[in-house]
Amino acid sequence: MSIRFVCRNGHALKANVRHAGRKMRCPRCKVAVWVPQPQLQTPRAENNLTDTQAVRLLGSYHPSQRTLLAAPAPSPTAKERPCPKCNTMVPMLCRVCPSCNTYLGS
Ligand SMILES: [Zn+2]
Ligand SMILES: [Zn+2]
């Protein structure tokens, strides 16, 4: 197993795990670089992060969908009536049918 890291000048380096915590020289620019310790915990931590992010996304997604589904349903049925002439659903606020211009009254 090897450790990947970057030297001060941005050169991608690779070192054996046995050299972790030691100093080595970048073969390209001869700069002294500390070989970092291998981070075995990183993949697990990333998994935990994505899991909580997914939960958060789901948590925010569901309530918004609920309000979207709930909002339009009650209003049209309660405030509309069918036109006696053409059966078009006309809002209660409209006194004239928009499709056949029949006067519906208030
Ligand atoms: Zn370098
Ligand atoms: Zn009508």
Side-chain angles (χ1 to χ4, degrees):
M1 187 188 160
S2 54
I3 309 168
R4 288 167 181 277
F5 56 101
V6 178
C7 91
R8 211 194 314 174
N9 293 315
H11 300 127
L13 301 179
K14 222 162 79 173
N16 195 292
V17 183
R18 285 178 297 170
H19 298 136
R22 293 195 200 170
K23 222 178 201 177
M24 64 172 277
R25 283 188 184 277
C26 171
R28 290 212 208 169
C29 60
K30 312 293 180 196
V31 150
V33 202
W34 287 102
V35 179
Q37 297 288 339
Q39 296 181 333
L40 298 171
Q41 299 296 323
T42 310
R44 259 191 220 168
E46 276 173 9
N47 280 343
N48 285 342
L49 250 179
T50 46
D51 278 349
T52 44
Q53 278 174 341
V55 167
R56 263 183 228 154
L57 281 174
L58 284 173
S60 61
Y61 179 69
H62 278 301
S64 65
Q65 201 187 28
R66 243 180 252 150
T67 46
L68 273 175
L69 288 173
S75 46
T77 45
K79 294 183 178 177
E80 276 186 2
R81 54 189 164 172
C83 168
K85 199 173 172 184
C86 67
N87 256 345
T88 301
M89 290 306 283
V90 185
M92 291 297 274
L93 295 173
C94 293
R95 294 185 179 187
V96 176
C97 171
S99 66
C100 68
N101 282 329
T102 303
Y103 181 72
L104 301 174
S106 52

mmCIF file of all heavy atoms in Angstrom, residues 6-13 25-31 33, ligand 1:
data_model
loop_
_atom_site.group_PDB
_atom_site.id
_atom_site.type_symbol
_atom_site.label_atom_id
_atom_site.label_comp_id
_atom_site.label_asym_id
_atom_site.label_seq_id
_atom_site.Cartn_x
_atom_site.Cartn_y
_atom_site.Cartn_z
ATOM 1 N N VAL A 6 1.038 15.430 -2.111
ATOM 2 C CA VAL A 6 1.521 16.430 -3.048
ATOM 3 C C VAL A 6 2.621 17.236 -2.386
ATOM 4 O O VAL A 6 2.513 17.593 -1.217
ATOM 5 C CB VAL A 6 0.362 17.371 -3.469
ATOM 6 C CG1 VAL A 6 0.865 18.452 -4.406
ATOM 7 C CG2 VAL A 6 -0.746 16.563 -4.123
ATOM 8 N N CYS A 7 3.659 17.517 -3.087
ATOM 9 C CA CYS A 7 4.746 18.312 -2.543
ATOM 10 C C CYS A 7 4.382 19.786 -2.582
ATOM 11 O O CYS A 7 3.361 20.178 -3.131
ATOM 12 C CB CYS A 7 6.045 18.058 -3.313
ATOM 13 S SG CYS A 7 6.315 19.175 -4.698
ATOM 14 N N ARG A 8 5.253 20.589 -1.945
ATOM 15 C CA ARG A 8 4.977 22.021 -1.833
ATOM 16 C C ARG A 8 4.759 22.670 -3.206
ATOM 17 O O ARG A 8 4.069 23.649 -3.335
ATOM 18 C CB ARG A 8 6.167 22.685 -1.130
ATOM 19 C CG ARG A 8 5.781 23.876 -0.310
ATOM 20 C CD ARG A 8 6.984 24.680 0.085
ATOM 21 N NE ARG A 8 8.103 23.845 0.594
ATOM 22 C CZ ARG A 8 9.293 24.342 0.876
ATOM 23 N NH1 ARG A 8 9.523 25.621 0.712
ATOM 24 N NH2 ARG A 8 10.262 23.571 1.308
ATOM 25 N N ASN A 9 5.356 22.121 -4.229
ATOM 26 C CA ASN A 9 5.237 22.714 -5.560
ATOM 27 C C ASN A 9 4.183 22.022 -6.418
ATOM 28 O O ASN A 9 4.123 22.234 -7.622
ATOM 29 C CB ASN A 9 6.587 22.674 -6.267
ATOM 30 C CG ASN A 9 7.593 23.579 -5.589
ATOM 31 O OD1 ASN A 9 7.267 24.712 -5.243
ATOM 32 N ND2 ASN A 9 8.787 23.079 -5.375
ATOM 33 N N GLY A 10 3.380 21.171 -5.781
ATOM 34 C CA GLY A 10 2.242 20.598 -6.486
ATOM 35 C C GLY A 10 2.541 19.328 -7.244
ATOM 36 O O GLY A 10 1.707 18.880 -8.015
ATOM 37 N N HIS A 11 3.706 18.736 -7.049
ATOM 38 C CA HIS A 11 3.993 17.484 -7.737
ATOM 39 C C HIS A 11 3.314 16.334 -7.012
ATOM 40 O O HIS A 11 3.426 16.217 -5.791
ATOM 41 C CB HIS A 11 5.504 17.231 -7.791
ATOM 42 C CG HIS A 11 6.249 18.314 -8.514
ATOM 43 N ND1 HIS A 11 7.324 18.985 -7.960
ATOM 44 C CD2 HIS A 11 6.046 18.849 -9.742
ATOM 45 C CE1 HIS A 11 7.769 19.878 -8.832
ATOM 46 N NE2 HIS A 11 7.005 19.825 -9.920
ATOM 47 N N ALA A 12 2.633 15.511 -7.750
ATOM 48 C CA ALA A 12 1.979 14.353 -7.150
ATOM 49 C C ALA A 12 3.031 13.327 -6.780
ATOM 50 O O ALA A 12 3.831 12.918 -7.615
ATOM 51 C CB ALA A 12 0.974 13.772 -8.129
ATOM 52 N N LEU A 13 3.028 12.918 -5.511
ATOM 53 C CA LEU A 13 4.027 11.979 -5.032
ATOM 54 C C LEU A 13 3.367 10.746 -4.469
ATOM 55 O O LEU A 13 2.198 10.766 -4.100
ATOM 56 C CB LEU A 13 4.891 12.636 -3.942
ATOM 57 C CG LEU A 13 5.635 13.897 -4.354
ATOM 58 C CD1 LEU A 13 6.404 14.428 -3.170
ATOM 59 C CD2 LEU A 13 6.567 13.606 -5.517
ATOM 60 N N ARG A 25 12.427 13.599 -0.149
ATOM 61 C CA ARG A 25 12.620 14.686 -1.104
ATOM 62 C C ARG A 25 11.823 14.412 -2.352
ATOM 63 O O ARG A 25 11.802 13.290 -2.844
ATOM 64 C CB ARG A 25 14.106 14.845 -1.445
ATOM 65 C CG ARG A 25 14.846 15.535 -0.352
ATOM 66 C CD ARG A 25 16.269 15.869 -0.765
ATOM 67 N NE ARG A 25 16.977 16.458 0.363
ATOM 68 C CZ ARG A 25 16.887 17.745 0.687
ATOM 69 N NH1 ARG A 25 16.146 18.546 -0.055
ATOM 70 N NH2 ARG A 25 17.536 18.210 1.723
ATOM 71 N N CYS A 26 11.168 15.477 -2.819
ATOM 72 C CA CYS A 26 10.443 15.343 -4.074
ATOM 73 C C CYS A 26 11.449 15.056 -5.173
ATOM 74 O O CYS A 26 12.427 15.788 -5.329
ATOM 75 C CB CYS A 26 9.671 16.636 -4.378
ATOM 76 S SG CYS A 26 8.950 16.639 -6.031
ATOM 77 N N PRO A 27 11.278 13.970 -5.919
ATOM 78 C CA PRO A 27 12.251 13.613 -6.957
ATOM 79 C C PRO A 27 12.314 14.652 -8.068
ATOM 80 O O PRO A 27 13.282 14.692 -8.818
ATOM 81 C CB PRO A 27 11.747 12.259 -7.480
ATOM 82 C CG PRO A 27 10.314 12.179 -7.066
ATOM 83 C CD PRO A 27 10.167 13.015 -5.822
ATOM 84 N N ARG A 28 11.284 15.502 -8.181
ATOM 85 C CA ARG A 28 11.263 16.470 -9.279
ATOM 86 C C ARG A 28 11.916 17.777 -8.887
ATOM 87 O O ARG A 28 12.732 18.310 -9.614
ATOM 88 C CB ARG A 28 9.821 16.746 -9.685
ATOM 89 C CG ARG A 28 9.201 15.549 -10.370
ATOM 90 C CD ARG A 28 8.209 16.004 -11.385
ATOM 91 N NE ARG A 28 7.170 15.015 -11.575
ATOM 92 C CZ ARG A 28 6.067 15.251 -12.260
ATOM 93 N NH1 ARG A 28 5.861 16.451 -12.751
ATOM 94 N NH2 ARG A 28 5.178 14.319 -12.421
ATOM 95 N N CYS A 29 11.516 18.328 -7.709
ATOM 96 C CA CYS A 29 12.027 19.649 -7.359
ATOM 97 C C CYS A 29 12.942 19.599 -6.146
ATOM 98 O O CYS A 29 13.397 20.631 -5.681
ATOM 99 C CB CYS A 29 10.869 20.613 -7.126
ATOM 100 S SG CYS A 29 9.781 20.094 -5.796
ATOM 101 N N LYS A 30 13.187 18.400 -5.602
ATOM 102 C CA LYS A 30 14.125 18.196 -4.494
ATOM 103 C C LYS A 30 13.721 18.923 -3.227
ATOM 104 O O LYS A 30 14.546 19.174 -2.360
ATOM 105 C CB LYS A 30 15.552 18.650 -4.901
ATOM 106 C CG LYS A 30 16.000 18.110 -6.234
ATOM 107 C CD LYS A 30 16.181 16.617 -6.187
ATOM 108 C CE LYS A 30 16.624 16.088 -7.550
ATOM 109 N NZ LYS A 30 16.461 14.625 -7.669
ATOM 110 N N VAL A 31 12.450 19.264 -3.124
ATOM 111 C CA VAL A 31 11.967 19.914 -1.916
ATOM 112 C C VAL A 31 11.699 18.849 -0.859
ATOM 113 O O VAL A 31 11.233 17.758 -1.171
ATOM 114 C CB VAL A 31 10.691 20.730 -2.247
ATOM 115 C CG1 VAL A 31 9.750 20.814 -1.063
ATOM 116 C CG2 VAL A 31 11.069 22.097 -2.752
ATOM 117 N N VAL A 33 9.667 16.975 1.811
ATOM 118 C CA VAL A 33 8.240 16.816 2.065
ATOM 119 C C VAL A 33 8.048 15.801 3.177
ATOM 120 O O VAL A 33 8.735 14.785 3.228
ATOM 121 C CB VAL A 33 7.491 16.305 0.807
ATOM 122 C CG1 VAL A 33 6.017 16.640 0.879
ATOM 123 C CG2 VAL A 33 8.109 16.850 -0.452
HETATM 124 ZN ZN ZN B 1 8.020 18.775 -6.181
#
